[in-house]
Amino acid sequence: MTVDSRGRLLLSALVALILTVIPLPPWLDVLRPAFLVLAVLYWSVNAPRAGGIAFGFFAGLMLDVFQGPVLGEHALALALVTYIAVREHQRIRSKPAIQQALFVLMALIVYEVVLFMIDGWTGHPVVSPLRWVHTLTGALIWPAAAAILAYGAGRRA
Amino acid sequence: VAAFGTGAGRPLAGRSGSPGFSFTLFALLSVVVMYLDQRGHYLEQVRYVLQATAYPVQLAVSSPAAAWRWLKESVQSREALQAENTRLRAQQRDLEVRSMRYEALARENGDLRGLRAALPPVADRWLPAEIVNIQLSSLRQRLLLDRGVVNGVFKGQAVLDDKGLIGQTTHVGPWSAEVILITDPEHAVPVRIERTGLRTIAVGSGDTTSLALPYLPANADIKTGDLLVTSGLGGVFPEGYPVARVTEVHRDAVQPLAQVRAAPLAHLDTDSEVMLVWFRADHPAAPAPPTAAGGDLKSGSAVMQPQAAPSKPRPPAQNAPAPQSTPAPKPTPQQQTTRAPRSVPVPLPGATADPAEAAKSTAPAAEPRQP
């Protein structure tokens, strides 16, 4: 079981990473949800041992390579978000999709706050309000994303 | 799905440690990584490896666009190709005629400036590079090129297209290099107004169509249409390369600084191919050697301190032609060769003619994509 779930986990992470770095026109880019964060959240809630904090950390490290000003920035933010999700996974998992989406919104805001603070500390302050837009779109597509990931996971189970 | 995580039960949870513990561990690890990456070059090797592993993903991401371009090119009709061919031929003739007198002018200019021999052009070598991935958000404006350390690319290398300056490399992997555009909000390039010789700094605005010039006093002599060229300060770009053209100048009576915007000359958003440039280190117009300037590039704003970066540890061997003047704090090319830096808008021989030469060498390769 672990091998299978690891494979699906890595595959979904890879797809999410590609969706995250694929070039988009600027107006769409602002709206683009943080797909990798959503994938990590999904696995942390639904398979906390296969995913977990280490998974979040390395996914964040990959994000840092692609778009971080400092290595470790996204890694820290994602590790924190994963930690919250893993701790609360039983409570979140039993909720309907709408309430899950609210949790995701909160998690994405926490994620962005961490990025915002680290950006400030490392001397790359970006105060544009546009950076917060993706938290909303991320929460909006959560039900769909979770359904897709559940379909992929459920077919095997 | 619900059974997926709960099936294993308690014992496995105990095995991998509590989430709190592993979170603390990874949080500490990422803080250490951030500190090392921010404070020094300790992680250059790690970045190098990570960038190498990330490259296949980036290639995969760019492949649909590349395939489309290839398809479009390969189904171009014969007439279209012939038309383009004639146009390119005419353009080449034009450029050849224009550069015909270049040698003579360069020598003449050298004589006039009292140099014993005319200097060779400052650009030593060109390497075309394909753009593999683009990030053009308002927060980050970066390109990824398909050339890396194996091609001799180094950190802090200037990147141009046939019209003007594009940016500089920030992270170099084995087969790829990341370029920060001049319009990235974290980038600043020291420029000179070509008409007046006034020096200032052009800062990226997070938008590919404009640069801001925030440090000009309200009474500065600048007007719409002025050409901005690199000033040669800052240690990355050599002197005299075209950067942008001023598009708007606002002078507000209550504000001490003028609000000036300029449009980059390079086609930052439509290019599919750019040029990496190597400069002659012994040329007076060349930027400071990368070892001297590289230290501050990591923060992305070495050019924000145009004084500090080139002036502190300059190896004297690298700029031999300048020793007779006293240790000048700002060794600009003009100050090394003439005593009137402001009033001589005519740059060094190599620098003026290079864009033409650049255009000549890029033209056959870059033109087919802009019919």
Side-chain angles (χ1 to χ4, degrees), chain A residues 83-101:
Chain A
Y83 168 64
I84 301 173
V86 168
R87 264 193 68 143
E88 305 292 320
H89 73 273
Q90 274 162 341
R91 216 173 302 171
I92 300 160
R93 199 157 46 182
S94 55
K95 295 278 194 300
I98 305 291
Q99 289 182 36
Q100 284 188 4

Side-chain angles (χ1 to χ4, degrees), chain B:
Chain B
V1 182
F4 195 76
T6 46
R10 282 273 150 229
L12 269 180
R15 186 201 57 171
S16 61
S18 71
F21 174 73
S22 63
F23 168 65
T24 317
L25 198 75
F26 281 112
L28 275 179
L29 184 59
S30 39
V31 169
V32 169
V33 165
M34 270 189 281
Y35 181 80
L36 290 180
D37 195 31
Q38 177 80 0
R39 293 284 156 213
H41 306 288
Y42 306 108
L43 290 183
E44 283 303 309
Q45 292 303 314
V46 179
R47 255 198 195 276
Y48 186 81
V49 172
L50 284 174
Q51 190 156 0
T53 52
Y55 188 53
V57 175
Q58 281 157 327
L59 269 188
V61 162
S62 76
S63 56
W68 172 245
R69 228 170 30 221
W70 177 82
L71 198 72
K72 222 167 60 176
E73 264 172 39
S74 50
V75 299
Q76 247 178 348
S77 72
R78 198 181 135 82
E79 289 82 50
L81 286 175
Q82 270 175 344
E84 187 174 296
N85 213 337
T86 38
R87 191 171 54 79
L88 287 176
R89 217 172 292 216
Q91 192 178 4
Q92 195 195 356
R93 201 171 44 232
D94 189 43
L95 288 171
E96 258 166 23
V97 169
R98 243 189 267 178
S99 67
M100 204 184 284
R101 286 268 299 141
Y102 164 71
E103 295 281 318
L105 284 175
R107 198 162 344 104
E108 197 177 309
N109 206 346
D111 288 347
L112 284 174
R113 282 163 188 267
L115 300 172
R116 270 185 313 146
L119 291 156
V122 60
D124 189 17
R125 195 152 72 79
W126 309 88
L127 182 69
E130 290 262 334
I131 296 176
V132 176
N133 195 9
I134 312 174
Q135 285 182 16
L136 290 181
S137 68
S138 56
L139 319 178
R140 262 174 87 76
Q141 306 234 318
R142 307 285 165 106
L143 302 177
L144 191 83
L145 305 182
D146 67 343
R147 306 284 182 175
V149 168
V150 291
N151 306 101
V153 178
F154 58 90
K155 187 171 166 174
Q157 184 168 14
V159 181
L160 315 172
D161 76 354
D162 52 337
K163 295 286 185 292
L165 198 63
I166 290 215
Q168 57 175 297
T169 55
T170 46
H171 300 298
V172 185
W175 308 283
S176 60
E178 190 188 86
V179 175
I180 180 168
L181 295 182
I182 50 172
T183 51
D184 189 290
E186 283 174 22
H187 195 269
V189 48
V191 295
R192 183 162 57 82
I193 299 161
E194 226 243 343
R195 182 173 56 88
T196 58
L198 181 63
R199 278 190 293 269
T200 181
I201 292 174
V203 180
S205 62
D207 166 14
T208 47
T209 58
S210 80
L211 290 167
L213 276 68
Y215 308 117
L216 281 173
N219 61 357
D221 182 10
I222 185 166
K223 60 187 186 202
T224 310
D226 277 352
L227 179 70
L228 303 176
V229 298
T230 50
S231 70
L233 302 177
V236 175
F237 306 110
E239 190 267 343
Y241 278 86
V243 177
R245 202 170 277 287
V246 176
T247 50
E248 55 177 286
V249 181
H250 282 298
R251 290 192 173 85
D252 194 340
V254 295
Q255 294 202 338
L257 297 175
Q259 285 129 49
V260 183
R261 297 217 151 249
L265 293 169
H267 303 290
L268 295 176
D269 44 359
T270 54
D271 273 333
S272 63
E273 214 175 42
V274 297
M275 299 298 268
L276 288 154
V277 193
W278 282 261
F279 298 104
R280 265 175 236 275
D282 52 354
H283 196 286
T291 44
D296 311 36
L297 287 177
K298 177 179 55 57
S299 61
S301 58
V303 275
M304 290 288 267
Q305 310 115 27
Q307 306 296 322
S311 64
K312 46 182 180 185
R314 276 179 81 84
Q318 293 290 352
N319 43 1
Q324 80 274 39
S325 63
T326 50
K330 295 175 292 177
T332 73
Q334 284 123 322
Q335 281 173 336
Q336 286 173 356
T337 50
T338 84
R339 289 292 132 79
R342 281 290 181 80
S343 60
V344 187
V346 183
L348 281 175
T352 2
D354 271 336
E357 200 176 70
K360 192 172 79 175
S361 57
T362 44
E367 280 305 316
R369 268 141 212 164
Q370 312 158 358

Side-chain angles (χ1 to χ4, degrees), chain A residues 1-91:
Chain A
M1 165 202 147
T2 15
V3 177
D4 273 357
S5 62
R6 278 280 147 77
R8 283 200 297 274
L9 193 117
L10 290 180
L11 183 69
S12 65
L14 189 67
V15 172
L17 185 64
I18 287 177
L19 286 175
T20 308
V21 295
I22 208 162
L24 287 180
W27 63 273
L28 254 181
D29 197 48
V30 170
L31 293 176
R32 169 182 5 220
F35 289 105
L36 190 55
V37 183
L38 293 182
V40 168
L41 275 177
Y42 177 83
W43 290 112
S44 315
V45 170
N46 290 294
R49 268 173 300 283
I53 294 161
F55 176 49
F57 176 80
F58 287 109
L61 210 56
M62 256 2 249
L63 277 181
D64 281 326
V65 175
F66 283 102
Q67 42 190 227
V70 192
L71 273 187
E73 175 182 17
H74 291 81
L76 178 60
L78 257 180
L80 176 64
V81 171
T82 326
Y83 168 64
I84 301 173
V86 168
R87 264 193 68 143
E88 305 292 320
H89 73 273
Q90 274 162 341
R91 216 173 302 171

